[in-house]
Amino acid sequence: NQRGLPEGHAVLKRFMSIPVINDGKVRIIFGVGNKAEDYTEADKSQLQLVANELHKLMQQRDAQSQLRQLSLAVEQSPASIVITNPQGVIEYVNPRFIQTTGYTFEEVRGQNSRVLKSGDTNPEFYRELWQTILRGEVWRGEFSNRKKDGTAFWEFASISPIKDRAGQ
């Protein structure tokens, strides 16, 4: 039966298709056709392996596309974005941070975020800020920081812990 095939497509004499099921749903159906003899269990096993790998590649491609979009959003954000480890050591800053503070990424990478402290804020304030974050909660507030040239500036911040899959 040629129904559904494009004009000029070879007549299908034999056809085998394999579904890839993930989370209880059919994600793709992968098929081959026109083998000279009947398909065997070995053919079925090989096709299943190929279909599963194809599905993994498609998922990786989708994940990479989402990561590129997220990266662009962070890079183009009108807000300063700083990522630190749990000890406050800076691992990443976006271009808005660089523009606002005058520091380059190379100058702050590996530095503790204390490098930005203006000295105008009570140490207890920072203790409470870090306790909130380390409890896994979001901290929101305003504090004074210092640019590379020494100029103090106030900024409103929303500081969120980044959790792993286990919620840590």
Side-chain angles (χ1 to χ4, degrees), residues 5-104:
L5 296 176
E7 188 177 323
H9 193 282
V11 174
L12 288 176
K13 297 179 182 173
R14 288 184 183 81
F15 183 79
M16 180 174 60
S17 62
I18 301 286
V20 174
I21 299 171
N22 191 333
D23 295 330
K25 294 181 183 178
V26 174
R27 300 301 178 173
I28 64 170
I29 298 175
F30 190 75
V32 293
N34 290 344
K35 183 178 175 186
E37 59 272 349
D38 288 341
Y39 290 99
T40 65
E41 284 301 313
D43 293 329
K44 180 180 174 185
S45 295
Q46 288 179 340
L47 187 60
Q48 188 71 65
L49 285 172
V50 170
N52 289 342
E53 288 304 311
L54 177 63
H55 183 250
K56 285 179 193 173
L57 288 171
M58 291 169 63
Q59 286 181 310
Q60 287 173 352
R61 183 198 64 209
D62 291 346
Q64 287 171 345
S65 175
Q66 290 175 352
L67 188 56
R68 275 192 299 278
Q69 288 177 334
L70 177 60
S71 176
L72 285 172
V74 168
E75 290 290 312
Q76 296 173 17
S77 173
S80 289
I81 297 176
V82 179
I83 298 175
T84 72
N85 69 13
Q87 292 73 42
V89 175
I90 296 172
E91 296 179 347
Y92 170 84
V93 296
N94 73 341
R96 174 57 89 186
F97 170 90
I98 294 166
Q99 188 178 42
T100 300
T101 67
Y103 285 104
T104 66

Side-chain angles (χ1 to χ4, degrees), residues 82 133 136-140 158-163:
V82 179
I133 297 166
E137 299 171 8
V138 176
W139 181 90
R140 289 179 182 86
S158 177
I159 303 174
S160 304
I162 300 173
K163 298 177 183 179

